Amino acid sequence: MSAAQKAVPPRPGRGAQAARLAEILRVDQAGELAAVHIYRGQQAVMKHARGHQRVAEQLKEMEGHEQVHLSRFNELLNEHKVRPTLMSPLWRLAAFTLGAGTALIGDKAAHACTEAVESVIEKHYAGQIEELKDRDPALTAELVQFREDELMHHDLAIEEGAHEATAYPLLSAVIQTGCKVAIKISEKI
């Protein structure tokens, strides 16, 4: 079992589980917000690029999946009285810029971005699923579905040539590192 899949033991003390749930909801909402804006940035470029209408439609469809996830996390934040990350404005801008920037490199780079992001997110969700499975089966079931959607995006990106992108190893490593840093920041801030 990987480190991401090991269950995080419940925190001790009054309110500790509620604090951990707040972290989970805050970071997941931030991640879905970023995903929506990555796809919007990519679409802004691809819908105007000659010969990339099919890719633009794929991106629009994936954005729709992410928007469903984001809407649900917005509901959960309200239900549990959890504030979103204070980093949301920066994440929106960074995500749109990442999406547009990778799309400007080309469709393979846009797919490499998707593959890199989704590889981090699916592992992140897998860890949360393991952590919450006994404590919150309803949320766990939703996370399982969201993870399946992310895996579908990941696999489509690979099928569309993500690994053929210029400087793929570097591009992927930088994006994955950025995602991991954003996750840690969003949990706390």
Side-chain angles (χ1 to χ4, degrees):
M1 185 178 285
S2 74
Q5 293 172 324
K6 290 181 183 174
V8 174
R11 294 180 184 175
R14 174 177 274 166
Q17 285 190 15
R20 177 61 184 140
L21 180 62
E23 287 177 357
I24 288 169
L25 296 178
R26 182 173 22 262
V27 73
D28 289 356
Q29 188 270 352
E32 298 299 347
L33 177 74
V36 165
H37 285 82
I38 288 170
Y39 287 126
R40 286 181 182 169
Q42 290 174 335
Q43 287 176 72
V45 172
M46 288 295 172
K47 71 182 178 184
H48 299 293
R50 215 174 260 174
H52 289 89
Q53 302 316 315
R54 183 182 63 80
V55 174
E57 287 302 314
Q58 288 174 336
L59 296 168
K60 185 176 182 177
E61 182 178 340
M62 291 188 286
E63 178 198 343
H65 299 156
E66 304 296 359
Q67 186 61 56
V68 168
H69 302 173
L70 176 59
S71 295
R72 180 60 183 140
F73 281 117
N74 286 338
E75 291 170 7
L76 288 166
L77 288 179
N78 287 327
E79 285 174 25
H80 293 276
K81 297 178 176 41
V82 173
R83 66 162 175 76
T85 179
L86 298 174
M87 302 300 290
S88 291
L90 179 60
W91 292 164
R92 272 190 211 99
L93 177 62
F96 187 90
T97 302
L98 175 62
T102 56
L104 284 168
I105 296 169
D107 62 327
K108 305 284 190 227
H111 289 303
C113 176
T114 296
E115 187 260 344
V117 169
E118 301 297 18
S119 68
V120 171
I121 300 309
E122 77 85 9
K123 289 179 181 92
H124 176 73
Y125 276 151
Q128 290 179 342
I129 290 163
E130 184 65 27
E131 178 182 349
L132 294 171
K133 68 182 179 186
D134 296 327
R135 286 187 275 170
D136 194 333
L139 179 56
T140 299
E142 288 184 281
L143 293 177
V144 166
Q145 180 57 55
F146 294 168
R147 181 174 179 258
E148 288 175 12
D149 291 344
E150 308 303 354
L151 284 167
M152 183 177 61
H153 299 167
H154 173 272
D155 293 348
L156 176 65
I158 291 172
E159 289 171 19
E160 291 291 327
H163 294 172
E164 299 166 26
T166 303
Y168 168 78
L170 177 62
L171 183 63
S172 181
V174 168
I175 292 170
Q176 287 185 24
T177 299
C179 288
K180 291 173 186 174
V181 169
I183 286 169
K184 289 299 177 194
I185 292 170
S186 295
E187 281 180 340
K188 304 298 181 190
I189 298 178

